[in-house]
Amino acid sequence: MASHKSAAKKSKQDISRRDRNRSGRSRLRTELKKIRALIAEGSSEAKDKLPAIYSLIDVSAKKGFIHDNAAARLKSRLTQAAN
């Protein structure tokens, strides 16, 4: 347990940030799995959903759930797979 008031506050902040980051990353991974499944099926729905997943990837990078270069790489690979 933290022995200073500021350390206790920092611990609480770390826990809430970890939970927020974990849920954001989890949501991103779930959506990536769904779009990859659509691409594997050869569904025409996949190209329609690409802009939404791009937006989610960009937001995830902006909020720090993933690195900026990782976001660019994901978008590039999804585009190649869809085409």
Side-chain angles (χ1 to χ4, degrees), residues 19-70:
D19 291 343
R20 192 178 319 124
N21 290 341
R22 187 179 288 165
S23 85
R25 258 194 318 270
S26 176
R27 179 169 175 238
L28 175 64
R29 287 182 185 143
T30 302
E31 294 302 320
L32 285 171
K33 283 179 193 174
K34 288 178 185 176
I35 194 86
R36 286 179 181 140
L38 288 173
I39 290 171
E41 289 174 6
S43 174
S44 61
E45 228 182 295
K47 285 196 176 186
D48 297 336
K49 292 194 177 213
L50 277 179
I53 195 76
Y54 290 163
S55 175
L56 182 61
I57 291 170
D58 288 336
V59 168
S60 296
K62 182 180 177 203
K63 292 189 175 185
F65 302 149
I66 59 173
H67 196 272
D68 289 343
N69 287 355

Side-chain angles (χ1 to χ4, degrees), residues 2 4-17:
H4 290 281
K5 192 174 181 181
S6 60
K9 179 179 178 180
K10 177 74 167 93
S11 177
K12 283 171 54 177
Q13 288 174 333
D14 289 343
I15 290 169
S16 64
R17 287 180 182 140

